């Protein structure tokens, strides 16, 4: 087994910070470098954000650049679309990704389509950040994983950083991008830590990362499932089962080739997501595999491990049972190794 990353961005620098600190650092650097960058969202000012991510940015940049808004997601995103069209680079924070439902017209029918409908005469360089996922006891209306909705919409770019380094690097690249980009950050990752380079540590959008290279199974995961997959891989290594762990990082545009190459090499693939399986994003990965020459190298059918097709429960034991955990990933990999 070897551990690799397709895009090295300076993680050997040795500095370790939390995922939340990495996001805040990216925002601070972008705002310092470009006066067009500003933030808007609910409670991001004096309060510092629902998850404490914006921290002291309000005191550093003032209320004009870190703008507290009314509780109206439709209005917040609409203001950001207008600001982006006028030449600004807004960064929206939606307290929970579930609340994007209140702003779907502005995200899907306006931000995603204006550049195309105006023949390229206008751009919408807007970033929308939103915490997603379960694990905090926030129940069904605050714990969903809706990434497949947005990945389905032409004109939107969608990223899911799984590490602190990517939380900073992908956000900086998203702010640079002339297109609307959704940055979906898993709530459980905010307090995790990892090496993050100082300075310009951008991670290009549309570049898949191979987090671990193994010989037996190609495991593709997103968000918090990446760290769970890596933990499962270490447990399975003790049994002689060697997993690759692949993190797409950017769902749209998807860099599929590293996935296809690894699947062709191992012959087995396990696709892991927190979202429910029905019409989930991993179904797209499965389709890419079976539509490519990699399908001829498969030793077993493509397998998915997803969240249950139920609303996320409030009760802790039921919430945990509703989405893949380390032990369920381990068991799924064991089962896959028995198939041929």
């Amino acid at each position: 087994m070897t551990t690799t990353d397709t895009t090295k961005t300076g993680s050997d620098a040795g500095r370790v910070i939390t995922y939340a600190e990495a996001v805040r650092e990216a925002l601070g650097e972008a705002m310092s470098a470009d006066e067009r960058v500003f933030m808007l969202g609910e409670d991001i000012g004096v309060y510092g954000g629902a998850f404490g991510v914006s921290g002291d940015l309000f005191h550093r940049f003032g209320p004009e650049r870190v703008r507290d808004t009314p509780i109206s997601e439709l209005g917040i995103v609409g203001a950001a679309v207008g600001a982006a069209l006028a030449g600004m680079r807004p960064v929206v924070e939606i307290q929970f990704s579930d609340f994007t439902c209140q702003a779907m017209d502005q995200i899907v029918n306006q931000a995603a389509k204006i550049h195309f409908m105006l023949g390229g005469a206008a751009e919408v360089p807007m970033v929308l950040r939103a915490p997603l996922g379960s694990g905090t006891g926030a129940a069904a209306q605050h714990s969903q994983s809706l990434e497949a909705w947005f990945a389905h919409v032409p004109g939107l770019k969608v990223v899911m950083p799984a590490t602190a380094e990517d939380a900073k690097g992908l956000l900086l690249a998203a702010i640079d991008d002339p297109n609307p980009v959704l940055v979906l950050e898993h709530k459980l990752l905010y307090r995790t830590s990892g090496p993050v380079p100082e300075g310009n540590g951008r991670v290009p959008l549309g570049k898949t990362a191979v987090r671990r290279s193994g010989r037996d199974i190609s495991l593709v995961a997103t968000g918090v499932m990446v760290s769970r997959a890596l933990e499962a891989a270490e447990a399975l290594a003790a049994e002689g089962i060697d997993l690759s762990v692949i993190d797409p990082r950017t769902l749209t545009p998807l860099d599929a080739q590293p996935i296809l190459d690894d699947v062709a090499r191992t012959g087995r693939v396990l696709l892991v997501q927190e979202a429910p399986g029905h019409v989930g994003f991993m179904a797209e990965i499965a389709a890419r595999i079976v539509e490519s020459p990699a399908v001829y190298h498969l030793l077993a059918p493509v397998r998915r491990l997803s969240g249950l097709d139920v609303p996320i429960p409030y009760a802790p034991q039921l919430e945990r049972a509703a989405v893949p955990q380390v032990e369920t990933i381990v068991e799924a990999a064991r089962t896959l190794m028995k198939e041929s």
Side-chain angles (χ1 to χ4, degrees), residues 6-86:
T6 58
T7 305
K8 293 295 184 183
T9 56
S11 61
D12 56 350
R15 186 180 67 126
V16 174
I17 60 176
T18 69
Y19 188 106
E21 289 169 337
V23 174
R24 181 161 58 251
E25 188 169 273
L27 292 167
E29 288 182 10
M31 293 172 73
S32 295
D34 188 344
E35 63 182 10
R36 297 174 300 169
V37 180
F38 73 101
M39 300 167 54
L40 65 165
E42 299 163 12
D43 294 328
I44 66 171
V46 175
Y47 185 69
F51 292 91
V53 173
S54 51
D56 65 345
L57 294 176
F58 177 82
H59 301 289
R60 290 173 57 190
F61 295 98
E64 292 295 311
R65 309 265 319 267
V66 183
R67 303 179 75 98
D68 272 323
T69 67
I71 302 175
S72 174
E73 284 75 19
L74 183 67
I76 296 166
V77 179
V81 172
L85 287 169

Coordinates of all heavy atoms in Angstrom, one line a residue, residues 6-86:
T6 N -3.1 13.1 -5.9 CA -2.8 13.5 -7.3 C -2.4 15.0 -7.4 O -1.9 15.4 -8.4 CB -4.1 13.3 -8.2 OG1 -5.2 14.0 -7.6 CG2 -4.4 11.8 -8.2
T7 N -2.8 15.8 -6.4 CA -2.4 17.2 -6.5 C -1.8 17.7 -5.2 O -2.4 17.9 -4.1 CB -3.7 18.1 -6.7 OG1 -4.4 17.6 -7.8 CG2 -3.3 19.6 -6.9
K8 N -0.5 17.7 -5.2 CA 0.3 18.2 -4.0 C 0.2 19.7 -3.9 O 0.6 20.4 -4.8 CB 1.7 17.7 -4.0 CG 1.8 16.2 -3.9 CD 1.4 15.7 -2.6 CE 1.6 14.2 -2.4 NZ 1.1 13.6 -1.2
T9 N -0.2 20.2 -2.8 CA -0.3 21.7 -2.6 C 0.4 22.2 -1.4 O 0.1 23.2 -0.9 CB -1.8 22.1 -2.5 OG1 -2.4 21.4 -1.4 CG2 -2.6 21.8 -3.8
G10 N 1.4 21.5 -1.0 CA 2.3 22.0 0.1 C 1.9 21.4 1.5 O 2.3 22.0 2.5
S11 N 1.3 20.3 1.5 CA 0.9 19.8 2.8 C 2.1 19.3 3.7 O 2.0 19.1 4.8 CB -0.1 18.6 2.7 OG 0.5 17.6 1.9
D12 N 3.3 19.3 3.0 CA 4.5 18.9 3.8 C 5.1 20.0 4.5 O 6.1 19.9 5.1 CB 5.5 18.3 2.8 CG 5.9 19.2 1.7 OD1 5.2 20.3 1.5 OD2 6.8 18.9 1.0
A13 N 4.4 21.2 4.5 CA 4.9 22.4 5.2 C 4.8 22.2 6.7 O 5.5 22.8 7.5 CB 4.0 23.6 4.8
G14 N 4.0 21.3 7.2 CA 4.0 20.9 8.6 C 3.0 21.7 9.5 O 2.8 21.3 10.7
R15 N 2.4 22.8 9.0 CA 1.5 23.5 9.8 C 0.1 22.8 9.9 O -0.4 22.4 8.8 CB 1.3 24.9 9.2 CG 0.5 25.9 10.0 CD 0.4 27.2 9.4 NE -0.4 27.1 8.1 CZ -1.5 27.9 7.9 NH1 -1.9 28.8 8.7 NH2 -2.1 27.8 6.7
V16 N -0.4 22.6 11.0 CA -1.7 21.9 11.2 C -2.7 22.9 11.8 O -2.5 23.5 12.8 CB -1.5 20.7 12.1 CG1 -2.9 20.1 12.4 CG2 -0.6 19.7 11.5
I17 N -3.9 23.0 11.1 CA -5.0 23.8 11.6 C -6.3 23.1 11.4 O -6.3 22.0 10.7 CB -5.0 25.2 10.9 CG1 -5.2 25.1 9.4 CG2 -3.8 26.0 11.2 CD1 -5.4 26.4 8.7
T18 N -7.4 23.6 11.9 CA -8.6 22.9 11.8 C -9.2 23.2 10.4 O -8.9 24.2 9.8 CB -9.6 23.3 12.8 OG1 -10.0 24.6 12.7 CG2 -9.1 23.1 14.2
Y19 N -10.2 22.4 10.0 CA -10.9 22.6 8.8 C -11.6 24.0 8.8 O -11.6 24.8 7.8 CB -12.0 21.5 8.7 CG -12.8 21.4 7.4 CD1 -12.5 20.4 6.5 CD2 -13.9 22.2 7.1 CE1 -13.3 20.2 5.4 CE2 -14.6 22.1 6.0 CZ -14.3 21.0 5.1 OH -15.1 20.8 4.0
A20 N -12.3 24.4 9.9 CA -12.9 25.7 10.1 C -11.9 26.8 10.0 O -12.2 27.8 9.3 CB -13.7 25.7 11.4
E21 N -10.8 26.7 10.6 CA -9.7 27.7 10.5 C -9.2 27.8 9.0 O -8.9 28.9 8.6 CB -8.6 27.4 11.4 CG -8.9 27.5 12.9 CD -7.8 26.9 13.8 OE1 -7.1 26.0 13.3 OE2 -7.8 27.4 15.0
A22 N -9.2 26.7 8.3 CA -8.7 26.8 6.9 C -9.7 27.5 6.1 O -9.3 28.3 5.2 CB -8.5 25.4 6.4
V23 N -11.0 27.3 6.3 CA -12.0 28.1 5.6 C -11.9 29.6 5.9 O -11.9 30.4 5.0 CB -13.4 27.6 5.9 CG1 -14.5 28.4 5.2 CG2 -13.6 26.1 5.5
R24 N -11.8 29.9 7.2 CA -11.7 31.3 7.6 C -10.4 31.9 7.0 O -10.4 33.1 6.6 CB -11.7 31.4 9.1 CG -11.6 32.8 9.6 CD -12.1 32.9 11.1 NE -11.3 32.1 12.0 CZ -11.8 31.0 12.6 NH1 -13.0 30.5 12.3 NH2 -11.0 30.3 13.4
E25 N -9.3 31.2 7.0 CA -8.1 31.7 6.4 C -8.3 32.0 4.9 O -7.8 33.1 4.4 CB -7.0 30.7 6.6 CG -5.6 31.3 6.3 CD -4.5 30.3 6.8 OE1 -4.1 30.5 8.0 OE2 -4.1 29.5 6.0
A26 N -8.9 31.1 4.2 CA -9.1 31.4 2.8 C -10.0 32.6 2.6 O -9.7 33.4 1.7 CB -9.8 30.1 2.2
L27 N -11.0 32.8 3.4 CA -11.9 34.0 3.2 C -11.1 35.2 3.5 O -11.2 36.2 2.8 CB -13.1 33.8 4.2 CG -14.1 32.8 3.8 CD1 -15.0 32.5 5.0 CD2 -14.9 33.1 2.6
G28 N -10.3 35.2 4.6 CA -9.5 36.4 4.9 C -8.5 36.7 3.9 O -8.3 37.9 3.5
E29 N -7.8 35.7 3.3 CA -6.8 36.0 2.3 C -7.5 36.5 1.0 O -6.9 37.4 0.4 CB -6.1 34.7 1.9 CG -5.1 34.2 3.0 CD -4.3 33.0 2.7 OE1 -4.4 32.6 1.5 OE2 -3.6 32.4 3.5
A30 N -8.6 36.0 0.6 CA -9.3 36.4 -0.6 C -9.8 37.9 -0.4 O -9.7 38.7 -1.3 CB -10.5 35.5 -0.9
M31 N -10.3 38.2 0.8 CA -10.8 39.5 1.0 C -9.7 40.5 1.1 O -9.8 41.7 0.6 CB -11.7 39.6 2.3 CG -12.9 38.8 2.1 SD -13.9 38.6 3.7 CE -14.5 40.2 3.9
S32 N -8.5 40.1 1.6 CA -7.4 41.0 1.7 C -6.8 41.3 0.3 O -6.3 42.4 0.0 CB -6.3 40.4 2.6 OG -6.7 40.3 3.9
A33 N -6.9 40.3 -0.6 CA -6.3 40.4 -1.9 C -7.1 41.1 -2.9 O -6.6 41.7 -3.9 CB -5.9 39.0 -2.4
D34 N -8.5 41.1 -2.7 CA -9.4 41.6 -3.7 C -10.6 42.3 -3.0 O -11.4 41.6 -2.3 CB -9.9 40.5 -4.6 CG -10.7 40.9 -5.8 OD1 -11.2 42.1 -5.8 OD2 -10.9 40.1 -6.7
E35 N -10.7 43.6 -3.1 CA -11.7 44.4 -2.4 C -13.1 44.0 -3.0 O -14.1 44.4 -2.4 CB -11.5 45.8 -2.5 CG -11.5 46.4 -4.0 CD -11.2 47.9 -4.0 OE1 -10.7 48.4 -3.0 OE2 -11.4 48.5 -5.1
R36 N -13.2 43.3 -4.1 CA -14.5 43.0 -4.6 C -15.1 41.8 -3.8 O -16.3 41.5 -3.9 CB -14.4 42.6 -6.1 CG -13.9 43.7 -7.0 CD -13.7 43.1 -8.4 NE -12.7 42.1 -8.4 CZ -12.5 41.3 -9.5 NH1 -13.2 41.4 -10.6 NH2 -11.5 40.4 -9.4
V37 N -14.3 41.0 -3.1 CA -14.8 39.9 -2.4 C -15.4 40.4 -1.1 O -14.8 41.1 -0.3 CB -13.6 38.9 -2.1 CG1 -14.1 37.7 -1.3 CG2 -12.9 38.4 -3.3
F38 N -16.7 39.9 -0.9 CA -17.3 40.2 0.4 C -18.2 39.0 0.8 O -18.5 38.2 -0.1 CB -18.1 41.5 0.3 CG -19.4 41.4 -0.5 CD1 -20.6 41.3 0.1 CD2 -19.4 41.5 -1.9 CE1 -21.8 41.2 -0.6 CE2 -20.5 41.4 -2.6 CZ -21.8 41.3 -2.0
M39 N -18.6 39.0 2.0 CA -19.4 37.9 2.5 C -20.8 38.4 2.9 O -21.0 39.5 3.4 CB -18.7 37.3 3.8 CG -17.4 36.7 3.5 SD -16.5 36.4 5.1 CE -17.7 35.3 5.9
L40 N -21.8 37.5 2.8 CA -23.1 37.8 3.3 C -23.8 36.5 3.7 O -23.6 35.5 3.1 CB -23.9 38.6 2.2 CG -24.3 37.9 0.9 CD1 -25.4 38.7 0.2 CD2 -23.2 37.7 0.0
G41 N -24.6 36.7 4.8 CA -25.3 35.5 5.3 C -25.8 35.8 6.7 O -25.6 36.9 7.3
E42 N -26.6 34.8 7.2 CA -27.2 35.0 8.5 C -26.2 34.8 9.7 O -25.5 33.7 9.7 CB -28.4 34.0 8.6 CG -29.5 34.3 7.6 CD -30.4 33.1 7.4 OE1 -30.4 32.2 8.3 OE2 -31.1 33.1 6.5
D43 N -26.1 35.7 10.6 CA -25.3 35.6 11.8 C -23.8 35.4 11.5 O -23.1 34.9 12.4 CB -25.8 34.4 12.7 CG -27.2 34.7 13.2 OD1 -27.5 35.9 13.5 OD2 -27.9 33.7 13.4
I44 N -23.3 35.9 10.4 CA -21.9 35.7 10.1 C -21.0 36.9 10.6 O -19.8 36.8 10.6 CB -21.6 35.6 8.6 CG1 -22.0 36.9 7.8 CG2 -22.4 34.4 8.0 CD1 -21.5 36.9 6.4
G45 N -21.7 37.9 11.1 CA -21.0 39.1 11.6 C -20.5 39.0 13.0 O -19.6 38.2 13.3
V46 N -21.1 39.7 13.9 CA -20.7 39.7 15.3 C -20.7 38.3 15.9 O -19.8 37.9 16.7 CB -21.5 40.7 16.2 CG1 -21.2 40.6 17.6 CG2 -21.4 42.1 15.6
Y47 N -21.7 37.5 15.6 CA -21.9 36.2 16.1 C -20.8 35.2 15.6 O -20.4 34.3 16.3 CB -23.2 35.6 15.7 CG -23.6 34.3 16.4 CD1 -23.8 34.2 17.7 CD2 -23.7 33.2 15.6 CE1 -24.1 33.0 18.3 CE2 -24.0 31.9 16.1 CZ -24.2 31.8 17.5 OH -24.5 30.6 18.1
G48 N -20.2 35.5 14.4 CA -19.1 34.7 13.9 C -19.5 33.5 13.1 O -18.7 32.6 12.8
G49 N -20.8 33.4 12.8 CA -21.3 32.2 12.0 C -21.9 31.1 12.9 O -21.5 30.9 14.0
A50 N -22.9 30.4 12.3 CA -23.5 29.3 13.1 C -22.6 28.3 13.6 O -22.8 27.7 14.7 CB -24.6 28.7 12.2
F51 N -21.5 28.0 12.8 CA -20.5 27.0 13.2 C -19.2 27.7 13.6 O -18.1 27.1 13.6 CB -20.3 26.0 12.1 CG -21.5 25.1 11.9 CD1 -22.5 25.5 11.1 CD2 -21.7 24.0 12.7 CE1 -23.7 24.7 10.9 CE2 -22.8 23.1 12.5 CZ -23.8 23.5 11.7
G52 N -19.2 29.0 13.8 CA -18.0 29.8 14.2 C -17.0 29.9 13.1 O -15.8 30.3 13.4
V53 N -17.3 29.7 11.8 CA -16.4 29.7 10.8 C -15.9 31.1 10.4 O -14.7 31.3 10.2 CB -16.9 29.0 9.5 CG1 -16.0 29.2 8.3 CG2 -17.2 27.5 9.8
S54 N -16.8 32.1 10.4 CA -16.4 33.4 10.0 C -15.6 34.1 11.1 O -14.8 35.1 10.8 CB -17.6 34.3 9.6 OG -18.6 34.2 10.5
G55 N -15.7 33.7 12.4 CA -14.9 34.1 13.4 C -14.7 35.6 13.5 O -15.7 36.4 13.7
D56 N -13.5 36.1 13.4 CA -13.2 37.5 13.6 C -13.2 38.3 12.3 O -12.7 39.5 12.3 CB -11.8 37.7 14.3 CG -10.6 37.2 13.4 OD1 -10.9 36.5 12.4 OD2 -9.5 37.5 13.7
L57 N -13.6 37.7 11.2 CA -13.6 38.5 10.0 C -14.4 39.7 10.0 O -14.1 40.7 9.3 CB -14.1 37.5 8.8 CG -13.2 36.3 8.5 CD1 -13.8 35.4 7.4 CD2 -11.8 36.8 8.1
F58 N -15.5 39.7 10.7 CA -16.3 41.0 10.9 C -15.5 42.1 11.5 O -15.5 43.2 11.0 CB -17.5 40.7 11.7 CG -18.4 41.8 12.0 CD1 -19.3 42.3 11.1 CD2 -18.3 42.6 13.2 CE1 -20.1 43.4 11.3 CE2 -19.1 43.7 13.5 CZ -20.0 44.1 12.5
H59 N -14.7 41.8 12.5 CA -13.9 42.8 13.1 C -12.7 43.2 12.3 O -12.2 44.4 12.3 CB -13.4 42.3 14.5 CG -14.5 41.9 15.4 ND1 -15.4 42.9 16.0 CD2 -15.0 40.7 15.8 CE1 -16.3 42.3 16.7 NE2 -16.1 41.0 16.6
R60 N -12.2 42.3 11.4 CA -11.1 42.7 10.6 C -11.5 43.5 9.4 O -10.8 44.4 8.9 CB -10.4 41.4 10.1 CG -9.7 40.6 11.1 CD -9.2 39.3 10.6 NE -8.4 39.4 9.4 CZ -8.0 38.4 8.7 NH1 -8.4 37.1 9.0 NH2 -7.2 38.6 7.6
F61 N -12.7 43.2 8.8 CA -13.1 43.8 7.5 C -14.3 44.7 7.6 O -14.6 45.4 6.7 CB -13.3 42.7 6.5 CG -12.1 41.9 6.1 CD1 -11.8 40.7 6.7 CD2 -11.2 42.5 5.2 CE1 -10.7 40.0 6.3 CE2 -10.0 41.7 4.9 CZ -9.8 40.5 5.4
G62 N -15.0 44.7 8.7 CA -16.1 45.6 8.9 C -17.5 45.1 8.3 O -17.5 44.2 7.6
P63 N -18.5 45.8 8.7 CA -19.9 45.4 8.3 C -20.2 45.5 6.8 O -21.2 44.9 6.3 CB -20.8 46.3 9.1 CG -20.0 47.5 9.4 CD -18.6 47.0 9.5
E64 N -19.4 46.3 6.1 CA -19.7 46.4 4.6 C -19.2 45.2 3.9 O -19.7 44.8 2.8 CB -19.0 47.6 4.1 CG -19.6 48.9 4.5 CD -21.0 49.1 4.0 OE1 -21.3 48.9 2.8 OE2 -21.9 49.4 4.9
R65 N -18.1 44.5 4.4 CA -17.6 43.3 3.7 C -18.0 42.0 4.3 O -17.9 41.0 3.7 CB -16.0 43.4 3.8 CG -15.4 44.7 3.3 CD -15.0 44.7 1.9 NE -14.3 43.6 1.3 CZ -13.0 43.4 1.2 NH1 -12.1 44.3 1.8 NH2 -12.5 42.4 0.6
V66 N -18.5 42.1 5.6 CA -19.1 40.9 6.2 C -20.5 41.3 6.7 O -20.7 41.8 7.7 CB -18.2 40.4 7.4 CG1 -18.8 39.1 8.0 CG2 -16.8 40.2 7.0
R67 N -21.4 41.0 5.8 CA -22.8 41.6 5.9 C -23.7 40.6 6.5 O -24.0 39.5 5.9 CB -23.2 42.0 4.6 CG -22.3 43.1 3.9 CD -22.8 43.5 2.5 NE -23.9 44.4 2.7 CZ -23.8 45.7 2.6 NH1 -22.7 46.3 2.4 NH2 -24.9 46.4 2.7
D68 N -24.2 40.9 7.7 CA -25.3 40.1 8.3 C -26.6 40.4 7.5 O -26.9 41.6 7.2 CB -25.5 40.5 9.8 CG -24.7 39.7 10.7 OD1 -24.5 38.5 10.4 OD2 -24.2 40.2 11.7
T69 N -27.4 39.4 7.3 CA -28.6 39.5 6.5 C -29.8 39.1 7.2 O -29.7 38.4 8.2 CB -28.5 38.6 5.2 OG1 -28.5 37.3 5.6 CG2 -27.2 38.9 4.4
P70 N -31.0 39.5 6.8 CA -32.2 39.0 7.3 C -32.3 37.5 7.0 O -31.6 36.9 6.2 CB -33.3 39.7 6.6 CG -32.7 40.9 6.0 CD -31.2 40.5 5.7
I71 N -33.3 36.8 7.7 CA -33.5 35.4 7.5 C -34.3 35.2 6.2 O -35.5 35.1 6.3 CB -34.2 34.8 8.7 CG1 -33.3 35.0 10.0 CG2 -34.4 33.3 8.5 CD1 -34.0 34.5 11.2
S72 N -33.7 35.2 5.1 CA -34.3 35.1 3.8 C -33.3 34.6 2.8 O -32.6 35.3 2.2 CB -34.9 36.4 3.3 OG -35.4 36.3 2.0
E73 N -33.2 33.3 2.7 CA -32.2 32.7 1.8 C -32.5 33.1 0.3 O -31.5 33.3 -0.4 CB -32.2 31.1 1.9 CG -31.6 30.6 3.1 CD -32.4 30.8 4.4 OE1 -33.6 31.0 4.3 OE2 -31.9 30.7 5.5
L74 N -33.7 33.2 -0.1 CA -34.0 33.7 -1.4 C -33.4 35.1 -1.6 O -32.8 35.4 -2.7 CB -35.5 33.7 -1.7 CG -36.0 34.1 -3.1 CD1 -35.5 33.0 -4.1 CD2 -37.5 34.3 -3.1
G75 N -33.6 36.0 -0.6 CA -33.1 37.3 -0.7 C -31.6 37.4 -0.7 O -31.0 38.2 -1.4
I76 N -31.0 36.5 0.1 CA -29.5 36.5 0.3 C -28.9 36.1 -1.1 O -28.0 36.8 -1.6 CB -29.1 35.6 1.4 CG1 -29.6 36.0 2.7 CG2 -27.6 35.4 1.4 CD1 -29.5 34.9 3.8
V77 N -29.3 35.0 -1.6 CA -28.7 34.6 -2.9 C -29.1 35.5 -4.0 O -28.2 35.8 -4.9 CB -29.2 33.1 -3.2 CG1 -28.6 32.6 -4.5 CG2 -28.7 32.2 -2.0
G78 N -30.3 36.0 -4.0 CA -30.6 37.0 -5.1 C -29.7 38.2 -5.0 O -29.3 38.7 -6.1
A79 N -29.5 38.7 -3.8 CA -28.5 39.9 -3.7 C -27.1 39.5 -4.2 O -26.5 40.3 -4.8 CB -28.5 40.3 -2.2
A80 N -26.7 38.3 -3.9 CA -25.4 37.8 -4.3 C -25.3 37.7 -5.9 O -24.3 38.1 -6.5 CB -25.0 36.5 -3.7
V81 N -26.4 37.2 -6.5 CA -26.4 37.1 -7.9 C -26.3 38.5 -8.5 O -25.5 38.8 -9.5 CB -27.6 36.4 -8.4 CG1 -27.8 36.5 -9.9 CG2 -27.6 34.9 -8.0
G82 N -27.1 39.5 -8.0 CA -27.0 40.8 -8.5 C -25.7 41.5 -8.3 O -25.1 42.1 -9.2
A83 N -25.0 41.2 -7.1 CA -23.7 41.8 -6.9 C -22.7 41.2 -7.8 O -21.8 41.9 -8.3 CB -23.3 41.5 -5.4
A84 N -22.8 39.9 -8.1 CA -21.8 39.2 -9.0 C -22.0 39.8 -10.4 O -21.0 40.1 -11.1 CB -22.0 37.7 -9.0
L85 N -23.2 40.0 -10.9 CA -23.4 40.6 -12.2 C -22.9 42.0 -12.3 O -22.5 42.4 -13.4 CB -24.9 40.6 -12.5 CG -25.6 39.2 -12.8 CD1 -27.1 39.3 -12.8 CD2 -25.1 38.7 -14.1
A86 N -22.8 42.7 -11.2 CA -22.3 44.1 -11.1 C -20.8 44.2 -11.0 O -20.3 45.2 -10.8 CB -23.0 44.9 -10.0

